[in-house]
Amino acid sequence: MRFLLGFAACAVVPWIPGLPPFWVTLAGYVGIAAIVALGLVVLTGVGGMTSFGQAAFMGFGAYTTALLTTRFGVSPWLTLPAALLAAGLAAALLGAVVLRLSGHYLPLGTLAMNVALVYVVANLDGFGRNDGINGIPPLSVFGVALTDNRPYLTVIGAALVLALLLTRNLLDSRSGRAIRALRGGRIAAAAFGVRIAEARMVAFVYAALLAGLAGWLYAHMQRSVTPAPFGLGPSIDYLLMAVIGGVAYPGGAVLGAAVVELIHDRLQDLLPLLIGAQGNFETIVFGAMLLLVLQLAPEGIWPHLVRRRAFPPPHPSPSWGGAGRGGPPPLPPRAMPERGAPLLEVSGLTRRFGGLLAVNDIGFAVAAGEIVGLIGPNGAGKSTTFNLLTGVDRPNAGAVRFQGAQFAGLPPQAVARRGVGRTFQHVKLVPAMSVIENVALGCHLRGHAGPLRALLRRDRAEESTLFAEAARQLARVGLADEADRPAGTLALGRQRIVEIARALALDPVLLLLDEPAAGLRHAEKQALAALLRRLRDEGMTILLVEHDMGFVMGLADRLVVMNFGTKLAEGPAAEVRRDKAVIAAYLGAAPA
Ligand code: ADP
Ligand code: MG
């Protein structure tokens, strides 16, 4: 509906009587810039990556259509796919090199590409050097050439609304949740099967495609291209727009583009008068503006104008609440191993951090259908053991067999695929995402839709299946009422329970829980214990790290006790409780 209104506005606004042509042209530039900035919202605001090369991706789009139309006489509409392909391919190639590396490689790589592109087009005759390429034909619609900026503004506006629509579609999808988990939730996302490099690539290429579209629009508006608008300076301007508008908000891209273009335009007239000399003095003002915004409104202006979350709740409750009552069919469950069969066998597991032996030659076994408690004082190596079992960290030595297959050294995605779900001692939810979306991230491997299906909204059936499953798991842990709240607003204890629901959404064979009862009230602990017993009765196997001895003693079938990285004892709770070494370790490390 909002998008329909948007399209309608694009058709009407340019024709408002008395609208000065100057404003029409400026609005056109704002629209084009907003499309580029929207790409940065996905890339930077949502995905947490920085690009100093968006103007270059625009350049790929603009020069592609400029060359094809002027040298080869290709019709402008036919060059659109080529322009998108050029920008997308450039991003894919650059991304393949720099996205696997962390840190500053992406900003530096995009920066280098931008400098290189401008250098190439400004120095090769084929690209017209600094004079650029002139005589680009206008777009035509139904045989009418759009030489006037009014109808062209309609085209730009429609492209912007379409870009907003596609961005909504992408972010509200299985691929989108993977992208939204990149900033901060990377380890957890990987533990549920998200391929991080792929999610980064999707965001990067998507942003480049939007920039390519913007470049194509720009070329046919200007009817000529020169290197300057695709340089490093404009690239930084687009980042500025996104940050000032609100880098995590699609609406912020539009707002930021409008604010920056408008001020840019005014300052170019005003500053030379004030200062008495020609020059790009507006840069100084923008620098000051950026500092101000980062100080006063680090999230940008948009969230202060529009009181609303970064993304609307994607699935209004009724659509996923109807599981079983004509709702989507439930996901097929995984085959559970027979109770008592050997499930997890750990031997000689060792992990050194420099001189510290965090895990020292640990060995134990877990049979299907039992609850095993892994206990020990702080720093004993329990969480490290979990990380070694789930591929988050690699052991220096040792073997892990899961359902008979070698496990150690597998990446977290492969561990998840084999049916190991986990929670984290330090809660790793995506705070801005709703509770149910976080849980749906746990179903990542049970869906298949990729970004293309998401963009075209062909993923709705699968999405409602995934959300129905997520809703089922939330109900199972007793948090159905919290489904639509941003996960970061829950009390920490409840966030741990959301993590359990997310792990259950994987349909795990083995559940690894790292201090699930920490921060829970007594009644909540009892409810959790009841839930874990119920899960065991249903055939689930649970390995549990817990500090609350009352909780773990009453729950676990067997205990494994660690201290300073080594195994102190193993056996039924009643026996371990009387073990002298265990008592000494506990009294020594944590006097009660
Ligand atoms: P537990 O979960 O039993 O409290 P951990 O497994 O978190 O203990 O930590 C075991 C030991 O390993 C601690 O001394 C901790 O400081 C150390 N350790 C854990 N992770 C790292 C790391 N990434 N780098 C260096 N030391 C670490
Ligand atoms: Mg720990």
Side-chain angles (χ1 to χ4, degrees), residues 56-81:
F57 292 125
M58 251 184 111
F60 277 102
Y63 272 90
T64 300
T65 190
L67 288 173
L68 288 178
T69 50
T70 60
R71 305 275 151 85
F72 301 98
V74 182
S75 141
W77 286 107
L78 293 181
T79 64
L80 177 57

Side-chain angles (χ1 to χ4, degrees), residues 503-521:
L504 289 174
L506 177 80
D507 188 22
V509 175
L510 173 64
L511 200 53
L512 302 182
L513 306 178
D514 201 344
E515 305 200 13
L520 292 187
R521 285 185 287 255

Side-chain angles (χ1 to χ4, degrees), residues 387-439:
N387 287 341
L388 296 176
L389 295 180
T390 51
V392 171
D393 197 2
R394 280 165 167 263
N396 296 104
V400 179
R401 296 182 77 76
F402 182 72
Q403 295 194 305
Q406 183 55 38
F407 220 48
L410 287 183
Q413 290 87 348
V415 172
R417 194 171 286 283
R418 284 168 173 74
V420 179
R422 70 168 293 182
T423 66
F424 294 86
Q425 179 181 352
H426 302 287
V427 172
K428 294 189 197 309
L429 296 173
V430 185
M433 230 155 71
S434 70
V435 166
I436 192 161
E437 285 178 298
N438 270 286
V439 177

